[in-house]
């Protein structure tokens, strides 16, 4: 009985991990889901009085490690974003949007992260949407993982699937795959 219970728990853990890793790109025409409603982050770097930055604004964000700090700038916003691969497209009822971010290591220590994991698009209802697998015609994607020495930078698009009728209002970014203590936020429009 214990062995069966242990095996069942392992199967549930694997299924939960697979579900969490699911993306919203659909190469087969089947549904995918990568949305979640979440409250606003506790710490936010924005413009005046803590409001969201505008396009081109830079948020200075600290990472979890000693001396880890980055400057993150929203360089471009694409809505809708067009697939660069005829076999990969958003699921039915969804569209892709994309945020081009520039991340500069402004700290004293190396910055190592998977930046796309820290990106969220927030719609007018407050629902958040996370990154999706997909390449777009606007330009190259953000690397899946980066390791930047002080002074180095990276630039790329992060693709996010949103419902076809969603009205995105902001893009959020946090270091440490979204678990960093600071969050930058930028206002976007279609």
């Amino acid at each position: 009985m214990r062995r069966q219970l242990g095996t069942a728990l392992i199967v549930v853990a694997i299924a939960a991990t697979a579900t969490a890793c699911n993306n919203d790109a659909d190469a087969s025409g089947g549904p995918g889901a990568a949305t979640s409603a979440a409250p606003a982050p506790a710490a936010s770097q924005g413009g005046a009085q803590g409001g969201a930055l505008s396009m081109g604004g830079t948020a200075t964000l600290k990472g979890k490690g000693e001396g880890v700090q980055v400057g993150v700038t929203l360089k471009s916003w694409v809505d809708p974003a067009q697939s660069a691969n005829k076999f990969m497209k958003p699921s039915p009822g969804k569209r892709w949007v994309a945020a081009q971010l520039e991340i500069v290591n402004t700290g004293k220590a190396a910055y190592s992260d998977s930046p796309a994991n820290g990106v969220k698009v927030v719609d007018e209802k407050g629902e958040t949407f996370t990154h999706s697998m997909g390449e777009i015609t606007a330009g190259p994607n953000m690397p899946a993982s980066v390791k930047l020495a002080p002074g180095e930078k990276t630039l790329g698009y992060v693709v996010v699937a949103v419902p076809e009728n969603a009205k995105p209002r902001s893009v959020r970014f946090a270091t440490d795959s979204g678990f960093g203590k600071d969050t930058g936020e930028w206002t976007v429009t279609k």
Side-chain angles (χ1 to χ4, degrees), residues 63-181:
K64 288 185 177 180
E66 180 73 28
V68 177
Q69 179 178 289
V70 293
V72 182
T73 306
L74 178 64
K75 298 294 240 178
S76 179
W77 171 251
V78 181
D79 182 6
Q82 302 301 315
S83 178
N85 180 332
K86 67 180 180 178
F87 299 107
M88 198 166 229
K89 59 184 177 180
S91 298
K94 302 221 173 172
R95 74 177 191 276
W96 280 347
V97 296
Q100 184 187 45
L101 297 173
E102 179 181 71
I103 302 172
V104 180
N105 184 344
T106 59
K108 296 179 181 176
Y111 170 67
S112 183
D113 199 358
S114 296
N117 293 338
V119 173
K120 292 183 179 179
V121 171
V122 184
D123 72 5
E124 67 180 359
K125 297 175 185 174
E127 285 192 72
T128 59
F129 306 91
T130 58
H131 82 284
S132 295
M133 298 296 288
E135 296 177 27
I136 60 170
T137 58
N141 284 5
M142 176 68 68
S145 63
V146 298
K147 185 165 187 170
L148 304 174
E152 289 184 336
K153 66 182 175 180
T154 188
L155 173 74
Y157 282 94
V158 177
V159 177
V160 177
V162 298
E164 194 63 54
N165 62 352
K167 295 178 181 164
R169 72 164 195 240
S170 67
V171 173
R172 291 182 185 153
F173 177 80
T175 60
D176 303 305
S177 288
F179 294 101
K181 55 184 169 182

Side-chain angles (χ1 to χ4, degrees), residues 14-29:
I14 290 170
T17 302
T19 301
C21 293
N22 185 23
N23 66 59
D24 205 44
D26 184 19
S28 65

